[in-house]
Amino acid sequence: MVEGPQADPRFKKAVELFNDGEWYDAHDVFEELWHETADPHRRCLQGVLQVAVAQLHLQRDNRRGATILFGEALGRLKRPGTPDLGLDIKGLCTCVEQRLRSLQLEEDPELCTVPVLRVVD
């Protein structure tokens, strides 16, 4: 039996929005769930929604904001004991690390893979 926020139908909707590049809407839905969730699940949700907001910052050409949020997201998602919520968090972190490194080197992060949330069994 699935427990935690991933059992909520809004979680699936948020993942779909995220994967469709609907960063603002994905953030809104993940944030709703985040407000209703306790740690450690809350920490993972916050990391994922920070990735969505970082992507929104990139769309709005706010590279500094994206850099900060990518870094904060990685800190949460890679913290020991953070649950994966049935998602490939390691793959997400790899993508975010590439985008963050690109920003830090003043390169174009859009040349890197776009973050996606892959559901794992």
Side-chain angles (χ1 to χ4, degrees):
M1 182 172 146
V2 176
E3 294 182 23
Q6 65 270 37
D8 188 306
R10 293 175 296 172
F11 184 83
K12 181 180 179 190
K13 181 63 177 172
V15 169
E16 290 172 1
L17 290 165
F18 188 103
N19 290 341
D20 288 343
E22 298 293 332
W23 310 115
Y24 187 87
D25 293 335
H27 160 266
D28 280 351
V29 180
F30 277 124
E31 190 172 51
E32 280 180 26
L33 291 166
W34 175 74
H35 282 295
E36 300 169 11
T37 304
D39 271 338
H41 295 105
R42 179 180 172 97
R43 186 169 55 243
C44 185
L45 286 174
Q46 187 173 14
V48 170
L49 75 88
Q50 285 177 316
V51 173
V53 175
Q55 285 296 120
L56 186 60
H57 280 311
L58 284 178
Q59 281 183 339
R60 296 177 177 173
D61 204 28
N62 178 358
R63 294 172 62 91
R64 184 175 186 276
T67 301
I68 291 167
L69 282 169
F70 279 145
E72 289 181 359
L74 286 169
R76 283 185 174 80
L77 295 172
K78 294 180 97 178
R79 182 173 163 195
T82 299
D84 64 19
L85 303 181
L87 301 171
D88 177 13
I89 295 300
K90 184 177 179 183
L92 176 65
C93 286
T94 298
C95 176
V96 170
E97 287 167 341
Q98 291 170 349
R99 292 173 87 74
L100 177 59
R101 188 170 28 259
S102 177
L103 285 164
Q104 291 168 332
L105 296 172
E106 297 186 12
E107 297 173 352
D108 184 1
E110 295 306 316
L111 298 176
C112 302
T113 305
V114 176
V116 294
L117 296 173
R118 288 185 176 77
V119 177
V120 295
D121 294 327

